[in-house]
Amino acid sequence: MRAQAGQALAPAPIDAVRLELVKNSIGSIVDEMVLTVVRIAYSSIMKDTMDLSSAFCDCKGRLIAQGLSLPLHLGSIPDAMDAVLAEYGATLSPGDIVVTNDPYQGGMHLPDIFMFKPVFIGTHLLGYGVLVAHHNDMGGRVPGSSAADSTEIFQEGLQIPMLKLYDKGVVDTTLLKIIARNVRVPDVILGDLRAQEAACRIAERGMQELAQRYGVEELERCFDALLDYSERECRRTIAAIPDGAYSYTDFLDDDGIDPDQPVQVTVTLHIAGDALTADLTGSSPQVRGAINSTLSFAKSAIYFAVRSIMDSDAPNNAGFMRPITVSAPDDCLFNPRRPGAVAARGVSGFRLIDATFGALAQAVPLRPRAAGEGGTTSYSIGGYDVHGKFVLFREAVMGAWGGGFHREGVDGVANPAANISNAPIEMVENTAPIRIERYELVTDSGGPGTWRGGLAIERQLRFLGQRATFQLRSDRRRYPPFGLAAGQSGASSNNLLEEDGGWRQIATKFTRSLASGQGFRHRTAGGGGYGDPLERDVAAVLFDVRNGKVSIEAAESAYGVVVLNTPWRVDEAATSAARRALQAARGTQGPQ
């Protein structure tokens, strides 16, 4: 159709094939950012655990794509990007790189350093390459800067406000000197910062090549189309949830300061058409310990929970976030006031995800999984080896997923919101004066259900240096991971310290000294089960017993399945009787 005089031609629709190519190209660029850091970083937490995330945002700061990294960073990057725009507006130039770790200016906790590199096509600002990564140390009172028993952010380490690390290509050596002087392992921290910088330059190069191929105008049209696509898919998912309000309350064992005071996590999901509002009213007020979570991190938890029930491959971008609103009262656990401590905020974010799954299960019971292990356990050991050299080692220990409808729990993997990995034993022993004496799945730890919860992991280590400060953050001992649809809870977590020739139980969160030769044993929680355990397939129970995941005793007591060995088989008559007895004992109608 020919346009009338004085009328502008409407832009032609974007070709679907081209849009898919652009989407995958940007995805490859942000993935390459992560892999660049993994290849050249100094610390194990980046190289092996991969505690980092990458993204590309457009010139308006809108998240266009996120790399193969941590979903819990998904909602934090847009807030951090907003803080960059508020600080610098349109004043950034080619060659600039901005950094910050301030939780109260778009960050999450001090070890996570955000880095932003503007990408220019000539004089036109196309967007920003973003890389956030967890660093081994940011100073503070405890090596690793992540202690749960800090009571204010000033104890947690060096706060970096929104600053230029590079100004028109010239590095700020003063900022680097300040960082180096305030951390315990400056060579590692500065090396990891250079790895982040390299990743941001990868984003710059990749997006410039993409703009050269398609043109800036066409590329920016694709940005808008990708945002609209993710928004439509998210709205479609929410519209399939019945309208109403769905609430769930879960608890954290403690705040790291008072071991006898549980911390409440409450979420209410309001569904109205194709929009969702998550209200965190009812959650505990801001606590003294360091498990307070910034609102940006709480948003990430909600976004992840909603994303997990989607059946679409729409990219994780700002369009996906448009139909979702997250609110929390001022001065509460998920919206703290400075100088509240936030170093161990991860455990609160993981619990918020579990609570959101509990709420979603009331509306769409077949979609969410039961609670997983409660989030990664995080520990750091800072001390001196046998030669008197200071060594700082940090590790995250992964556990299990809960069971779901027609989905078994998964054993020995990261919480899906973390998407990181356990460090190999050989790497740990090469990096730090530590010997790993036990690393195994725990029998009978997965919550019984029609679909069993994932098994817990037990990791036992021994410190072989002279002396050290040992910090650990865990949870899910007092409140084990819940099951769904009559599924049972997973096993609780545990911490044991070797003292005077025996093993003594210690708190879920602590900072303490570690002596030469002293051992420590941590057990993650097991995932919750989904569905009635008495409806679990008998052959599946036998399979678990033969593989050491369920004991013969638990097969009978939890599942009503009588297993015989030599040879392995199920006693059918005894199993029928056992299941009838269990049904009668709990007074419910079960399978016949």
Side-chain angles (χ1 to χ4, degrees):
M1 178 180 295
R2 189 182 301 272
Q4 296 181 3
Q7 285 186 327
L9 285 171
I14 295 176
D15 179 74
V17 173
R18 172 168 290 188
L19 185 62
E20 186 71 14
L21 289 172
V22 170
K23 182 190 81 168
N24 291 333
S25 296
I26 301 174
S28 295
I29 291 167
V30 291
D31 286 349
E32 188 179 355
M33 293 174 71
V34 172
L35 296 176
T36 297
V37 176
V38 170
R39 284 194 294 267
I40 65 177
Y42 284 41
S43 66
S44 172
I45 200 72
M46 292 192 197
K47 292 179 72 69
D48 300 291
T49 304
M50 296 178 63
D51 193 347
L52 65 156
S53 287
S54 62
F56 178 76
C57 299
D58 72 359
C59 62
K60 300 175 184 178
R62 301 178 301 179
L63 178 67
I64 303 299
Q66 185 190 33
L68 46 84
S69 40
L70 277 69
L72 270 177
H73 291 167
L74 172 63
S76 301
I77 288 175
D79 280 32
M81 192 72 251
D82 288 345
V84 173
L85 298 179
E87 182 75 21
Y88 291 103
T91 66
L92 292 176
S93 302
D96 288 352
I97 293 181
V98 176
V99 294
T100 186
N101 71 346
D102 187 350
Y104 294 98
Q105 195 182 11
M108 292 182 289
H109 67 165
L110 299 184
D112 284 337
I113 295 183
F114 285 78
M115 186 174 288
F116 310 85
K117 185 169 191 0
V119 176
F120 285 87
I121 310 300
T123 59
H124 178 80
L125 176 63
L126 181 67
Y128 303 83
V130 186
L131 197 293
V132 54
H134 187 113
H135 288 256
N136 258 2
D137 187 66
M138 275 291 112
R141 56 178 279 269
V142 177
S145 313
S146 294
D149 57 353
S150 294
T151 57
E152 58 180 6
I153 196 169
F154 304 110
Q155 298 174 321
E156 297 181 326
L158 176 68
Q159 300 177 60
I160 306 172
M162 198 70 68
L163 293 173
K164 288 186 181 181
L165 178 62
Y166 280 81
D167 188 356
K168 297 182 177 66
V170 179
V171 67
D172 186 340
T173 56
T174 300
L175 176 56
L176 290 178
K177 288 177 180 178
I178 290 172
I179 293 173
R181 186 55 60 91
N182 281 276
V183 300
R184 294 173 175 85
V185 283
D187 291 347
V188 173
I189 303 305
L190 295 182
D192 285 350
L193 273 174
R194 286 192 289 271
Q196 283 187 259
E197 177 191 332
C200 287
R201 296 190 189 281
I202 290 290
E204 179 182 45
R205 184 192 69 192
M207 293 305 300
Q208 287 174 343
E209 291 174 352
L210 207 58
Q212 185 176 12
R213 184 182 311 158
Y214 294 107
V216 171
E217 183 178 352
E218 181 71 1
L219 199 53
E220 292 182 332
R221 289 182 63 212
C222 289
F223 294 166
D224 290 335
L226 289 171
L227 295 176
D228 292 343
Y229 169 49
S230 291
E231 179 181 0
R232 287 194 303 271
E233 291 301 289
C234 185
R235 290 192 184 278
R236 181 175 65 83
T237 297
I238 295 170
I241 303 173
D243 284 1
Y246 307 95
S247 294
Y248 194 89
T249 295
D250 205 342
F251 292 90
L252 291 151
D253 291 338
D254 59 85
D255 69 347
I257 300 294
D258 185 352
D260 299 318
Q261 184 60 52
V263 178
Q264 182 166 315
V265 174
T266 295
V267 59
T268 301
L269 303 179
H270 298 276
I271 309 296
D274 60 1
L276 179 152
T277 298
D279 182 3
L280 308 186
T281 300
S283 297
S284 288
Q286 181 172 332
V287 297
R288 288 183 61 216
I291 66 168
N292 297 297
S293 165
T294 61
L295 184 57
S296 66
F297 197 67
K299 291 178 184 178
S300 293
I302 301 296
Y303 295 151
F304 167 78
V306 175
R307 176 71 209 215
S308 70
I309 66 169
M310 287 180 66
D311 59 2
S312 168
D313 65 348
N316 293 327
N317 61 33
F320 163 78
M321 303 171 189
R322 290 170 180 167
I324 303 172
T325 302
V326 182
S327 65
D330 292 338
D331 305 329
C332 86
L333 180 70
F334 296 107
N335 194 10
R337 183 189 302 271
R338 190 189 295 271
V342 295
R345 91 286 181 240
V347 69
S348 300
F350 286 118
R351 190 65 76 258
L352 179 56
I353 291 170
D354 288 344
T356 306
F357 282 161
L360 285 171
Q362 300 169 32
V364 282
L366 304 185
R367 302 302 296 275
R369 285 181 178 267
E373 86 288 70
T376 57
T377 295
S378 173
Y379 77 84
S380 61
I381 294 178
Y384 296 87
D385 65 16
V386 292
H387 305 294
K389 177 185 176 182
F390 182 79
V391 177
L392 176 57
F393 179 76
R394 180 177 175 80
E395 184 183 12
V397 181
M398 315 304 150
W401 295 13
F405 181 69
H406 283 288
R407 292 172 291 171
E408 289 281 86
V410 187
D411 310 319
V413 297
N415 188 292
N419 195 30
I420 53 182
S421 61
N422 287 329
I425 290 174
E426 296 81 3
M427 187 286 306
V428 174
E429 296 182 341
N430 257 341
T431 304
I434 295 170
R435 182 170 68 235
I436 304 296
E437 298 179 331
R438 182 180 295 179
Y439 179 39
E440 60 191 29
L441 297 173
V442 180
T443 301
D444 292 338
S445 56
T450 309
W451 295 279
R452 175 182 51 77
L455 299 185
I457 280 182
E458 189 163 275
R459 197 152 169 119
Q460 180 174 309
L461 58 88
R462 189 168 303 277
F463 178 63
L464 303 179
Q466 295 181 19
R467 64 188 186 279
T469 299
F470 184 28
Q471 173 278 132
L472 182 135
R473 179 208 79 196
S474 63
D475 206 78
R476 283 297 194 195
R477 179 186 297 171
R478 184 181 300 176
Y479 300 96
F482 59 80
L484 289 176
Q488 296 180 15
S489 297
S492 296
S493 69
N494 202 16
N495 295 319
L496 299 174
L497 187 71
E498 190 179 42
E499 286 184 335
D500 301 323
W503 293 90
R504 178 175 67 88
Q505 187 181 65
I506 55 177
T508 58
K509 306 169 188 67
F510 61 82
T511 301
R512 57 165 298 128
S513 60
L514 202 59
S516 180
Q518 195 166 21
F520 171 75
R521 185 186 303 162
H522 172 67
R523 178 179 293 186
T524 69
Y530 188 100
D532 189 339
L534 298 185
E535 295 181 0
R536 183 164 176 78
D537 182 69
V538 170
V541 177
L542 177 61
F543 180 83
D544 280 347
V545 173
R546 294 191 63 175
N547 284 277
K549 296 184 176 185
V550 174
S551 67
I552 289 177
E553 294 75 20
E556 182 171 357
S557 62
Y559 295 99
V561 177
V562 179
V563 175
L564 306 174
N565 56 13
T566 61
W568 289 106
R569 63 197 188 280
V570 171
D571 186 325
E572 301 288 352
T575 294
S576 296
R579 288 193 158 182
R580 286 195 299 270
L582 288 173
Q583 293 162 14
R586 66 189 188 187
T588 60
Q589 182 67 34
Q592 300 301 314

